[in-house]
Structure formats: structure tokens, C-alpha cells
Amino acid sequence: MKPPPPPPSRPRPLPLAFILLLLLLSTPIATSISLPHPPTPSPTSSPSSPSASTTSTLDPKQVIALESLNIPTSRDPCAQPSFHNATLCDSSKPFRHLISLRLANCSSYLSLSFTALKSLSTLRSLSLLNCPLSPVRLPPELASSLTSFSSVNSLRRISGVWLSQLQNLTSLTVSDVQIKASGPFVILAHMTKLKTLTISNANLTGSLPGHLHSNLTFIDFSKNRLKGNIPPSITMLDSLQLLNLSSNSLAGEIPPSIGDLISLTNLSLASNSFSGSIPDSISALPGLLHMDLSSNQLNGTIPKFISQMKSLRHLNLANNNLRGVLPFNLTFIKRLEVFKVGGNTNLCYNHSAISSKLKLGISPCDKYGMPVTPPAKDSSADDSSDDDYDEGDAEEIRHKKEHHHGPNKFVLGVAIALSSIVFLIIFLILCSKCCR
């Protein structure tokens, strides 16, 4: 007979401590106890992260646009200094936006897409350096937003119409880029806010524009194919500080109204076909620091007022048709950092005022104010002719030459006389032998 099963064991009562613990966990935490806040993302957090700080986060669309341009975005593009100083942002919220972008030394396979440019429509400054990109259609929003545009050895070939879209620019620089346009006016017609203008080495043809807006303070049209005269529109810019028209095909006389450019500090008209004399109105430019009129067809004498221009530091009048006596003394020349007058065949210097040891590339003057001898053919603007003379005026030089020729004639006469005596002696000896 089986023993009866044991009675079921009664559960042991829970310990009092365990019950109190359960009650504590089930009770809401008092409002005076605060949980720690989640850590704030560091400035190096990815700008596309939704938890990034609103004070250092770039618009996610612009982050994608930067990535398409091979600009690293692992570090906040708005943090300064940015990657190669390529980006600058505003302080808007909740997302910051790019206001300046600089692309330099781009890879050959990089391309600007319309979508990327549209995302960057907040840009006010766009600079391209050594970026051989293909031109792309500009979004209207970006074209109207830009106030500064620079393209140096970039964009391969662009049209004047493409540039003319940038109507709100205050600064335009296009250098070492081929521009297809019938003239500067196509580009500049509607740029009413422009202050600084550089279109250099761009194969630009046509003539200088007949109308320019008065805001301009800087004009550089150097190394193009521009023709014609300097129009009154340029000489009416009383705020203009720099005018560089060098290395073009401009002709005619330098207009007397050039003296109306009262703010001008830098004037370069070199390597053109300007003729006539240097206008006296230049004396009205007391702040002029740099004047380069070299490699033209200027004639007449050099005005004396130039030596009274106390601000002048760079003077280049080389390779013209200037004539007469150089109206400068040694004190004026030594004050200059650059001084070139070589290549003017009919120009000479007063040897009593300027030492021949100072290589000028021109000859000293005789007492009539004419060059003693023309300078060597290979004399250049900054190299002196090998035929420069030492101290002594033209009369003394001629006297030395004549004195030099005298001994040669005397020696020749003595030689002839001795030859005659020898011949006579030989003749007499032969005659005496025959008579025997």
C-alpha cells in the first residue's frame, strides 16, 4: 500500500525588504530628481546629423552639394578656419547657409551641376582658381545673389552673355580665361553696382565701352585685343584708383582729360600704339604712384613736371620716340623704385647732372642737347648700352678722338720715310755694282 502523497508546500512569505524594493520601483520618481541630459554633439559632428547643434549645422542640401564638389564635410564646413578656407557661412537658424565658396586646383573630372548650384543659391561670393570646369547654366537665384565672382584659369571658355547674368556684382575678376564676346559692353551693360573690374588675358575684342557706371574704382583690361581710343567714359570716373589698359591694340593720343581722374594712383598704358606727347594734365594727379607708358609711339620731350610728382615711385617711359634732354636729376631718380627710359633713340642725359655709372640705356648729350652717339641696338628699358661714356662733354670726346688719330698719321709718315731711305740705299748699291 502506497504512502499518501505529501501535502503541498505553502509558499514562503516574501521578505519585507524585497516588498519594499518593489514598492519603490513602482512609485514615480519625484520631480525634484532630474535625469542627466543627453550629451550635446561636438562641433565636429556631421552637419547632416539631425541632433547637431543649430548654431553650427549647415543646410543638409548644401552639405550634399559640397560633397558633389569633393569638399570634405566630415568636419563642420561652417567652423573656422574651414577646409583650405574654402567656405564661409552665415548665422541663420535652424540651419546655417554658405555665403562664400572658393574652389581651387580642381580635379579634371569635377563638374558643376545645375542641381548643386541651385542648392548654393545663398552664395554671395564664388571664386574659382585653376578649375578647368565646363560652364554650366546658372540658376537665376544664384545669379542674382552673387556680389563677387572670380574665375582665374578656370571654366575653360565662357561667353559674355553668361557673365552678363551677374547683374548684382560689385567685384568681377576673369583672368586667363577665353571670353567669347563682341566687346566689354556686352558683359558690363547692366552691372550698375560694379566697383572692381578685371578682365585680363581673356582674348577680349572690340573697343572700350562708351558708358561705364561711376562706382568703378579699379579697371584692368590688360592683355586683350581691344582697339580704338580711350573714351571719355573712363576719364569721367573720378573715383577710379587703378587703370590698366596695357598689352592691347589701343591707339590715338592719351586724352588730356586723363587729368580728371583725381583719385588715380596706378596708370598703365604700356604696349599699345598710343602716339602724341605725354599730356600736361597728368600733373593734376598728385597721388600717382605708378605710371607705365612704355612700348608705345609717344613723341616730344618728357615734361618737367614729372620730377615734381612727389608720390611717384614707378616710372617707365621706355621704348617710345621721346627726344631731348632728360629733365631729371640724380636725386629724383634715386627716389624711384623703378625708372626706365631706354629705347628712346633721340633721348639723352646731361652728364653733369647724372653720372654715366647709372645705366639708363640712353647716351649723354652734347652741347647742343643731342645724343653723342645712338645707344646700342640691344639696349632695353632696364639695361644700359655698352657705349655709355665716362666724364667729359662732346668737345672733349672729339678732341680725344682727333688726338688719338694724330699719332697714327705721324707713325705712318715715319714708316714711309724709312722705307724710302732703305729703297734708295739698295738702289745705290745695285748701281755701283753695275758700274764696275
Side-chain angles (χ1 to χ4, degrees):
M1 188 173 175
K2 295 180 180 181
S9 61
R10 298 177 61 185
R12 296 180 179 180
L14 293 175
L16 180 61
F18 186 72
I19 294 173
L20 291 176
L21 179 63
L22 289 177
L23 290 174
L24 180 63
L25 291 176
S26 61
T27 305
I29 300 176
T31 55
S32 61
I33 303 176
S34 58
L35 292 175
H37 294 288
T40 304
S42 64
T44 56
S45 301
S46 172
S48 58
S49 172
S51 61
S53 173
T54 58
T55 60
S56 61
T57 301
L58 184 65
D59 187 332
K61 291 182 180 179
Q62 295 193 341
V63 172
I64 296 174
L66 291 182
E67 290 173 347
S68 71
L69 298 174
N70 292 340
I71 295 181
T73 57
S74 56
R75 182 175 181 268
D76 183 9
C78 294
Q80 294 299 316
S82 62
F83 177 74
H84 292 318
N85 296 321
T87 55
L88 185 66
C89 304
D90 62 11
S91 56
S92 59
K93 295 180 180 181
F95 295 114
R96 301 180 70 178
H97 298 92
L98 288 171
I99 57 175
S100 178
L101 175 62
R102 178 178 180 268
L103 301 178
N105 303 317
C106 307
S107 59
S108 57
Y109 57 84
L110 184 67
S111 62
L112 286 173
S113 69
F114 181 85
T115 303
L117 291 178
K118 190 172 183 180
S119 300
L120 300 174
S121 60
T122 57
L123 285 176
R124 295 201 290 268
S125 174
L126 177 60
S127 177
L128 308 174
L129 175 63
N130 298 326
C131 287
L133 306 171
S134 299
V136 65
R137 184 166 60 94
L138 280 177
E141 300 87 353
L142 178 59
S144 61
S145 174
L146 286 176
T147 59
S148 175
F149 177 75
S150 176
S151 175
V152 178
N153 192 29
S154 304
L155 290 181
R156 296 175 186 164
R157 185 181 181 89
I158 55 180
S159 69
V161 175
W162 189 90
L163 287 171
S164 67
Q165 302 174 77
L166 309 175
Q167 298 183 9
N168 290 323
L169 291 184
T170 59
S171 175
L172 172 63
T173 299
V174 181
S175 182
D176 300 322
V177 181
Q178 297 295 301
I179 296 180
K180 184 179 180 182
S182 58
F185 182 76
V186 174
I187 303 170
L188 307 174
H190 301 291
M191 294 185 182
T192 58
K193 301 176 182 178
L194 203 60
K195 292 183 178 180
T196 63
L197 168 64
T198 297
I199 301 179
S200 176
N201 195 24
N203 200 35
L204 189 62
T205 59
S207 58
L208 293 169
H211 177 72
L212 289 169
H213 298 284
S214 59
N215 296 322
L216 281 166
T217 61
F218 187 108
I219 296 178
D220 183 354
F221 279 123
S222 61
K223 298 180 182 179
N224 284 294
R225 296 167 54 195
L226 299 172
K227 298 180 179 180
N229 303 328
I230 297 179
S233 60
I234 288 183
T235 59
M236 294 173 62
L237 301 173
D238 54 9
S239 297
L240 194 65
Q241 299 175 15
L242 181 144
L243 177 62
N244 187 355
L245 304 177
S246 61
S247 300
N248 279 283
S249 299
L250 300 170
E253 296 187 355
I254 301 175
S257 55
I258 199 84
D260 295 338
L261 299 175
I262 56 176
S263 302
L264 201 64
T265 60
N266 190 311
L267 173 64
S268 181
L269 306 178
S271 300
N272 281 285
S273 298
F274 289 114
S275 58
S277 59
I278 300 174
D280 292 339
S281 62
I282 290 180
S283 62
L285 306 177
L288 199 63
L289 300 172
H290 177 116
M291 181 165 69
D292 189 349
L293 306 179
S294 62
S295 301
N296 280 287
Q297 300 170 18
L298 298 174
N299 52 46
T301 59
I302 298 178
K304 294 182 179 180
F305 69 77
I306 293 179
S307 62
Q308 301 171 1
M309 301 179 73
K310 297 181 179 180
S311 299
L312 200 62
R313 292 295 178 268
H314 181 122
L315 178 62
N316 190 349
L317 303 175
N319 301 318
N320 279 288
N321 299 321
L322 299 170
R323 56 179 172 80
V325 182
L326 194 67
F328 307 137
N329 56 27
L330 194 58
T331 303
F332 171 76
I333 294 175
K334 286 186 175 181
R335 193 180 74 204
L336 299 175
E337 297 173 3
V338 175
F339 178 65
K340 299 179 182 180
V341 290
N344 290 282
T345 306
N346 295 317
L347 187 66
C348 58
Y349 66 90
N350 187 341
H351 66 83
S352 63
I354 301 174
S355 171
S356 61
K357 295 180 180 179
L358 187 65
K359 305 300 183 180
L360 299 177
I362 57 176
S363 295
C365 301
D366 61 17
K367 66 179 182 180
Y368 303 106
M370 299 295 293
V372 172
T373 57
K377 292 182 180 179
D378 60 346
S379 64
S380 62
D382 53 350
D383 294 327
S384 171
S385 167
D386 293 333
D387 295 332
D388 276 354
Y389 289 88
D390 293 328
E391 299 297 335
D393 58 14
E395 292 298 323
E396 186 178 353
I397 292 170
R398 291 194 192 97
H399 177 71
K400 287 181 179 179
K401 288 183 178 179
E402 291 174 1
H403 182 70
H404 178 71
H405 288 302
N408 289 339
K409 293 179 180 179
F410 177 78
V411 172
L412 181 60
V414 171
I416 293 174
L418 291 175
S419 300
S420 300
I421 292 172
V422 172
F423 178 79
L424 181 59
I425 293 173
I426 295 173
F427 178 76
L428 291 175
I429 293 172
L430 290 176
C431 287
S432 64
K433 288 183 179 181
C434 291
C435 291
R436 292 176 185 175

